[in-house]
Amino acid sequence: GKPLAREGQPWTPEEDEQLLQLCAPGEEGGYDANFGDPWIYISWEMQRREEDVHARYVELVVKPREQATMHELAITKASRPLHMHRKFRMIPADLYVVPTEDSYPLAPSTFVLPGAFKNYRHDDIF
């Protein structure tokens, strides 16, 4: 199709401000980036691709917000197959996301092993 007017061009400070206004909650006149999937509407108003608009929002808002908060590390695993169709099944891949202290400051560990479990703990293997 026909490219959008600002597609592929560098972002300006004015466009950053417009993006923040368009991502504001509805009562402030925006599309509310925290509700639903507003990126197609925002991208049309800014004349940029959806992916570019969303990526810029992540850089301006999400990353600084996440980097300013403390995080706890949790490793989980999903291994139950997803049955999509009787002839097709998808086994989810194991994905481990480990934040770095530089990117995401970790909250101090406050875990204390309950006394009942101390008999089963072997400090030499942890």
Side-chain angles (χ1 to χ4, degrees):
K2 191 172 155 184
L4 298 168
R6 296 284 302 152
E7 187 174 337
Q9 296 182 20
W11 286 84
T12 65
E14 294 79 20
E15 286 179 310
D16 287 344
E17 185 61 37
Q18 181 187 8
L19 176 62
L20 295 176
Q21 290 173 356
L22 291 171
C23 291
E27 44 291 344
E28 296 176 28
Y31 289 101
D32 196 350
N34 297 315
F35 180 76
D37 190 9
W39 305 111
I40 191 170
Y41 306 105
I42 296 170
S43 71
W44 177 252
E45 288 208 26
M46 299 202 69
Q47 288 293 292
R48 290 181 175 270
R49 293 175 52 230
E50 286 178 64
E51 296 83 13
D52 296 338
V53 171
H54 184 253
R56 187 64 175 179
Y57 179 79
V58 168
E59 289 296 322
L60 291 175
V61 177
V62 177
K63 282 185 181 180
R65 180 183 64 216
E66 291 298 315
Q67 290 172 346
T69 60
M70 300 299 265
H71 298 268
E72 293 182 9
L73 176 63
I75 297 176
T76 63
K77 180 179 179 183
S79 58
R80 185 175 178 191
L82 302 174
H83 292 281
M84 312 282 286
H85 185 273
R86 65 186 177 134
K87 294 184 180 178
F88 174 79
R89 78 175 190 162
M90 187 173 85
I91 299 176
D94 294 337
L95 173 66
Y96 298 99
V97 177
V98 181
T100 64
E101 184 68 30
D102 296 336
S103 300
Y104 299 97
L106 298 176
S109 175
T110 58
F111 176 75
V112 177
L113 187 67
F117 292 103
K118 288 187 179 180
N119 293 336
Y120 303 102
R121 173 140 181 140
H122 300 285
D123 289 326
D124 57 322
I125 62 170
F126 288 104

